[in-house]
């Protein structure tokens, strides 16, 4: 392509066409508005491609030099914000190539030798994912570390912070606050692991697959794969240009991560309500109301809950776009980017905001322990105490159930009924003393202080493991 054609406003594929593209076509089919952010990856891919073309003898060293230097200029223009797009730039790939050709003339027109936008876009997007998903993983682990440090601090208070554990949002059994916080940490570490797993699988370079079938030119995909830092080159050119499994996998991993964040969010909405009062947010991480002067709202927590829908939507839109697509490239595939970019951006922001919110919040130890010492939370311990005296659990369950019923019916504290009960008595009544029920919960992985040190050790090891995978 000569410089004249480009400035005349021709598209890169103009040769076969008599007329230029309609404005409506460009407006509808362009992807530049969102794939612009692939510019650095596009330049990296082009550099590797040019070096490979030179080393296999398709491109002269001097043409290679001219293209490399034009790519350096283009990079500098992007970095300084002086790169100007033209109306014929359909996407980031055409924009970079058009500019390289403007700068390097005929040499620039050789850049696209043996390459198609189909293998180019697949390469760019994988490079982008390798960098950005790593960042997301980093923020996942950072949030886990916030949870763990709050958990450790909660355990080193005297007494260790405790709250009711719930099933069906009904009081169930007392748990350490550290145990509750670490439950979320474990879920998030699985998310980090899923992202690492997706990264490992996507580490394949599609460059050299061409439009769909490879090339009659002696390309060397291994060279470009090595130069770009991919683990390996593609094995099948059709698969290389049509595979978007990695986009779907990342969107799934982010959706599940988003679901976990939404569950954390929901709890903080509850915990910071007047009814629970278990925690209060730092001013910097709460919002006010434009009308109600007294309000302090947990908007970060609410959005962590609300945005999960959008993350799931992005996964569903990509899966739906992919289903039924024949091999190999179809323009539908262009629809992979906005959902992917959106999910990565949203989840990164959510992770950072939640980490800030949780690390600066204040726990109300008093409110939590009063709730944790509610009599009904001791019911299971009473039954287990009877079991240790030899009573079959089903029968023990019945005995304690009748204590609860009697307490409710007669408005008498359970502890008084227990003390007077022939099968329970004074010793069983000791279980109602503050913190005792929790203290007794020490089977492996349990919610009491006896089991906490081992869990902490396991969690720290898992965090170290996750970090090592990122280094
Ligand atoms: N903008 C396109 C995309 O994002 C690049 C590939 C276009 N290839 C083509 N043959 N039309 O998928």
């Amino acid at each position: 392509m000569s410089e004249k054609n480009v400035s005349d406003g021709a598209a890169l594929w103009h040769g076969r066409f008599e007329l230029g593209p309609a404005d409506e076509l460009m407006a509808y089919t362009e992807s530049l508005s969102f794939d612009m952010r692939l510019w650095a990856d596009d330049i990296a891919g082009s550099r590797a491609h040019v070096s490979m073309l030179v080393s296999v003898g398709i491109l002269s060293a001097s043409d290679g030099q001219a293209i490399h230097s034009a790519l350096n200029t283009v990079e500098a223009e992007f970095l300084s914000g002086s790169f100007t797009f033209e109306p014929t730039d359909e996407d980031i790939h055409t924009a970079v190539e058009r500019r390289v050709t403007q700068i390097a003339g005929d040499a620039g027109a050789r850049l696209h030798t043996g390459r198609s936008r189909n293998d180019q876009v697949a390469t760019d997007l994988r490079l982008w994912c390798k960098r950005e998903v790593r960042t997301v993983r980093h923020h996942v682990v950072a949030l886990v570390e916030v949870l763990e440090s709050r958990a450790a601090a909660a355990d080193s208070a005297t007494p260790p912070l405790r709250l009711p554990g719930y099933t069906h949002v009904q009081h169930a059994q007392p748990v350490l606050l550290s145990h509750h916080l670490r439950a979320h940490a474990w879920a998030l570490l699985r998310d980090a692991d899923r992202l690492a797993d997706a990264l490992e699988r996507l580490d394949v370079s599609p460059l050299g697959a061409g439009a769909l079938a490879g090339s009659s030119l002696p390309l060397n995909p291994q060279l470009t794969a090595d130069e770009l830092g991919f683990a390996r080159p593609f094995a099948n050119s059709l698969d290389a240009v049509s595979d978007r499994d990695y986009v779907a996998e990342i969107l799934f991993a982010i959706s599940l991560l988003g679901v976990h964040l939404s569950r954390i969010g929901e709890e903080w909405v509850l915990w910071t309500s007047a009814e629970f009062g278990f925690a209060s947010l730092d001013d910097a991480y709460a919002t006010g109301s434009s009308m109600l002067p007294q309000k302090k709202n947990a908007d970060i927590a609410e959005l962590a809950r609300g945005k999960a829908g959008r993350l799931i939507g992005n996964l569903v839109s990509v899966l739906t776009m992919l289903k039924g697509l024949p091999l190999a490239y179809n323009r539908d595939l262009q629809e992979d980017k906005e959902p992917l970019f959106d999910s990565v951006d949203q989840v990164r922001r959510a992770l950072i905001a939640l980490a800030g919110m949780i690390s600066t919040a204040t726990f109300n130890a008093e409110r939590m322990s009063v709730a944790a010492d509610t009599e009904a939370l001791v019911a299971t311990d009473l039954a287990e105490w009877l079991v240790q005296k030899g009573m079959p659990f089903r029968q023990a369950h019945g005995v304690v159930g009748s204590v609860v019923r009697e307490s409710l019916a007669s408005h008498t504290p359970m502890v008084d009924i227990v003390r007077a009960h022939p099968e329970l008595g004074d010793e069983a009544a000791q279980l109602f003393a503050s913190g005792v029920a929790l203290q007794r919960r020490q089977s492996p992985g349990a919610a009491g202080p006896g089991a906490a040190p081992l869990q902490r050790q396991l969690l720290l090891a898992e965090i170290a493991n996750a970090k090592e995978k990122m280094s």
Side-chain angles (χ1 to χ4, degrees):
M1 182 183 297
S2 74
E3 195 165 336
K4 182 172 173 301
N5 279 338
V6 168
S7 48
D8 281 347
L12 280 181
W13 31 262
H14 70 103
R16 184 227 180 279
F17 291 79
E18 276 178 26
L19 297 173
D23 291 347
E24 299 89 308
L25 174 130
M26 288 299 278
Y28 187 56
T29 62
E30 68 82 28
S31 55
L32 184 63
S33 53
F34 52 86
D35 66 20
M36 222 183 267
R37 63 197 288 173
L38 295 174
W39 69 264
D41 305 298
D42 201 71
I43 291 173
S46 290
R47 282 180 173 142
H49 185 64
V50 169
S51 301
M52 182 274 292
L53 291 177
V54 172
S55 73
V56 300
I58 297 172
L59 209 61
S60 71
S62 64
D63 279 350
Q65 254 323 312
I67 301 176
H68 275 302
S69 115
L71 284 166
N72 291 343
T73 305
V74 172
E75 180 179 48
E77 289 177 353
F78 272 108
L79 286 172
S80 67
S82 64
F83 187 96
T84 45
F85 292 103
E86 292 190 1
T88 49
D89 295 340
E90 252 185 273
D91 52 27
I92 189 62
H93 326 293
T94 53
V96 170
E97 189 190 338
R98 184 261 310 152
R99 184 71 188 125
V100 166
T101 310
Q102 282 177 336
I103 298 166
D106 276 350
R110 296 180 193 276
L111 165 59
H112 212 50
T113 309
R115 187 179 73 171
S116 156
R117 277 184 294 158
N118 299 351
D119 58 346
Q120 194 179 354
V121 68
T123 306
D124 292 4
L125 199 56
R126 283 178 192 253
L127 287 173
W128 186 89
C129 288
K130 284 179 70 169
R131 188 178 57 250
E132 298 296 327
V133 171
R134 213 181 124 85
T135 307
V136 171
R137 277 197 83 221
H138 168 85
H139 291 298
V140 174
V141 175
L143 178 56
V144 169
E145 287 187 302
V146 165
L147 291 168
E148 171 49 35
S149 86
R150 299 256 29 192
D155 273 351
S156 52
T158 356
L161 270 60
R162 60 186 193 279
L163 76 166
Y166 298 83
T167 60
H168 316 273
V169 204
Q170 305 286 337
H171 280 175
Q173 295 182 310
V175 300
L176 281 175
L177 176 62
S178 66
H179 194 66
H180 191 113
L181 296 173
R182 286 179 180 133
H184 289 299
W186 286 109
L188 294 173
L189 283 169
R190 291 193 295 275
D191 294 319
D193 205 43
R194 261 183 288 274
L195 288 169
D197 192 43
L199 279 176
E200 211 170 285
R201 220 178 346 266
L202 74 74
D203 205 3
V204 175
S205 174
L207 201 54
L212 75 162
S215 178
S216 62
L217 300 167
L219 304 181
N220 187 339
Q222 180 73 56
L223 276 186
T224 42
D226 290 346
E227 171 143 359
L228 290 169
F230 281 110
R232 55 202 172 275
F234 66 96
N236 179 307
S237 62
L238 290 172
D239 184 41
V241 292
S242 58
D243 172 18
R244 294 294 184 277
D245 290 4
Y246 61 100
V247 176
E249 283 193 44
I250 290 168
L251 287 177
F252 171 72
I254 290 179
S255 294
L256 191 49
L257 167 57
V259 166
H260 292 149
L261 298 182
S262 82
R263 297 174 77 169
I264 293 175
E266 167 64 1
E267 285 184 348
W268 280 81
V269 170
L270 293 174
W271 286 4
T272 56
S273 67
E275 285 70 18
F276 275 78
F278 288 177
S280 56
L281 299 181
D282 188 87
D283 282 357
Y285 290 92
T287 55
S289 158
S290 58
M291 181 179 161
L292 313 170
Q294 83 282 14
K295 290 302 286 295
K296 187 169 177 185
N297 298 329
D299 285 21
I300 291 175
E302 289 177 42
L303 282 171
R305 195 176 57 188
K307 282 180 192 269
R310 170 171 175 172
L311 303 177
I312 296 165
N314 287 337
L315 168 65
V316 172
S317 66
V318 165
L319 287 174
T320 313
M321 177 273 286
L322 289 173
K323 76 167 277 300
L325 274 192
L327 298 178
Y329 181 84
N330 300 272
R331 193 62 177 263
D332 315 44
L333 290 173
Q334 181 170 289
E335 288 293 301
D336 59 358
K337 285 171 216 56
E338 286 164 291
L340 176 67
F341 295 162
D342 184 55
S343 284
V344 168
D345 288 344
Q346 289 300 332
V347 91
R348 186 186 53 243
R349 287 178 205 150
L351 289 163
I352 295 170
L354 283 171
M357 183 192 86
I358 295 173
S359 63
T360 55
T362 310
F363 290 112
N364 188 334
E366 175 66 19
R367 287 284 296 230
M368 280 193 279
S369 59
V370 166
D373 287 341
T374 307
E375 282 197 317
L377 287 151
V378 180
T380 317
D381 299 83
L382 283 173
E384 287 176 356
W385 183 86
L386 286 169
V387 164
Q388 282 182 328
K389 301 279 168 207
M391 188 181 282
F393 178 74
R394 203 35 69 208
Q395 193 183 330
H397 187 285
V399 169
V400 180
S402 63
V403 170
V404 173
R405 181 156 32 83
E406 194 183 330
S407 154
L408 290 171
S410 63
H411 303 289
T412 312
M414 270 172 74
V415 63
D416 295 339
I417 299 169
V418 166
R419 204 174 283 118
H421 197 286
E423 278 157 316
L424 294 158
D426 273 343
E427 192 190 327
Q430 298 301 314
L431 297 175
F432 287 91
S434 176
V436 168
L438 180 64
Q439 198 72 38
R440 288 164 55 89
R441 198 151 279 108
Q442 48 191 338
S443 59
L454 176 60
Q455 180 181 183
R456 174 171 153 79
Q457 203 183 312
L458 293 171
L459 190 65
L460 291 176
E462 196 59 34
I463 293 172
N465 190 20
K467 282 181 156 177
E468 194 182 318
K469 274 198 201 164
M470 282 189 294
S471 61

